[in-house]
Amino acid sequence: GEDVEQSLFLSVREGDSSVINCTYTDSSSTYLYWYKQEPGAGLQLLTYIFSNMDMKQDQRLTVLLNKKDKHLSLRIADTQTGDSAIYFCAESFDNYGQNFVFGPGTRLSVLP
Amino acid sequence: GAGVSQSPSNKVTEKGKDVELRCDPISGHTALYWYRQSLGQGLEFLIYFQGNSAPDKSGLPSDRFSAERTGGSVSTLTIQRTQQEDSAVYLCASSVQPSGGYEQYFGPGTRLTVT
């Protein structure tokens, strides 16, 4: 079955770059996503990448996809305290039913 | 426009009681999902509705859990005879289309505490 893994914690200093990593097992996924969950709030989609792409950039965010290694990463440039949150990696499949699988989330702490 | 809303935001109940959690999806969204997020865990898929099709209940952890979606809009998740392990945040999400590539919009969740 599908499985998505992430490291649970990451700490960085304000102004540094953050890199959050994710590995997945099912290579038939069509899209891969990064969601952000701030304290006490619901999940918000940050960005997503189609599985036939290897990179996507959106302002401070860069998503890299290595399909061979089934590895997805999210790089946040110039990390700010407002970036402190839990980041979830997710994959989806082109079929009906349970078609989204989420990782456990990485808690990013930004230190002043 | 209005996002996904859920009620109540917090629910404390005694073990053995039944609870109902409500989700109002974004108007026009045909797909609706329920997830459970336990402390320090990722999202656990529970159930998925798409239009008038039969729901995908493959994620429901036991027969104490059930959900319905009336008129293709509002959904209610019911947990009967609650147990302490049911304590979690229950998240609802909706999307325009069910298949991959479309954003799921999440509600703020209902925090359920079973004492």
Side-chain angles (χ1 to χ4, degrees):
Chain A
E2 310 92 355
D3 195 18
V4 178
E5 295 187 353
Q6 302 176 238
S7 52
L8 298 183
F9 300 97
L10 176 66
S11 290
V12 298
R13 294 223 172 264
E14 194 173 9
D16 288 349
S17 292
S18 310
V19 180
I20 303 171
N21 294 302
C22 169
T23 57
Y24 57 97
T25 56
D26 195 322
S27 58
S28 65
S29 53
T30 41
Y31 290 88
L32 294 120
Y33 306 80
W34 285 104
Y35 280 83
K36 178 182 180 182
Q37 185 180 35
E38 295 185 74
L43 277 76
Q44 277 189 300
L45 180 68
L46 272 183
T47 186
Y48 68 92
I49 188 168
F50 189 47
S51 58
N52 70 353
M53 296 169 61
D54 51 23
M55 186 181 103
K56 182 178 180 181
Q57 185 147 7
D58 183 3
Q59 299 184 338
R60 293 191 297 123
L61 306 178
T62 303
V63 178
L64 294 177
L65 175 60
N66 181 328
K67 215 174 172 187
K68 174 176 166 288
D69 294 339
K70 301 192 190 73
H71 182 266
L72 182 74
S73 68
L74 173 69
R75 179 176 180 269
I76 305 172
D78 186 25
T79 313
Q80 303 298 307
T81 53
D83 296 324
S84 294
I86 302 175
Y87 292 80
F88 291 90
C89 169
E91 58 177 342
S92 70
F93 308 86
D94 224 1
N95 60 299
Y96 290 91
Q98 184 212 338
N99 54 7
F100 280 84
V101 179
F102 285 81
T106 298
R107 183 180 294 275
L108 174 65
S109 299
V110 182
L111 309 173
Chain B
V4 177
S5 61
Q6 293 184 245
S7 60
S9 55
N10 277 286
K11 176 73 177 176
V12 180
T13 190
E14 290 180 355
K15 179 181 168 181
K17 302 273 190 188
D18 297 352
V19 294
E20 281 190 355
L21 312 179
R22 178 186 166 107
C23 172
D24 278 276
I26 293 173
S27 177
H29 281 194
T30 59
L32 187 147
Y33 308 78
W34 282 99
Y35 295 90
R36 179 168 70 175
Q37 185 178 23
S38 301
L39 186 63
Q41 303 295 312
L43 273 69
E44 176 189 3
F45 166 80
L46 296 177
I47 189 169
Y48 155 73
F49 295 89
Q50 163 51 19
N52 295 322
S53 303
D56 175 3
K57 304 179 184 179
S58 60
L60 294 178
S62 78
D63 58 9
R64 296 186 295 105
F65 287 71
S66 62
E68 61 178 24
R69 188 178 185 194
T70 52
S73 181
V74 171
S75 177
T76 303
L77 177 70
T78 301
I79 310 173
Q80 295 178 309
R81 305 181 302 282
T82 50
Q83 304 294 311
Q84 287 184 328
E85 61 262 28
D86 300 332
S87 295
V89 176
Y90 289 82
L91 291 167
C92 174
S94 70
S95 67
V96 172
Q97 293 282 353
S99 59
Y102 290 87
E103 178 177 357
Q104 288 191 337
Y105 293 82
F106 281 83
T110 293
R111 181 176 296 278
L112 175 65
T113 304
V114 182
T115 61

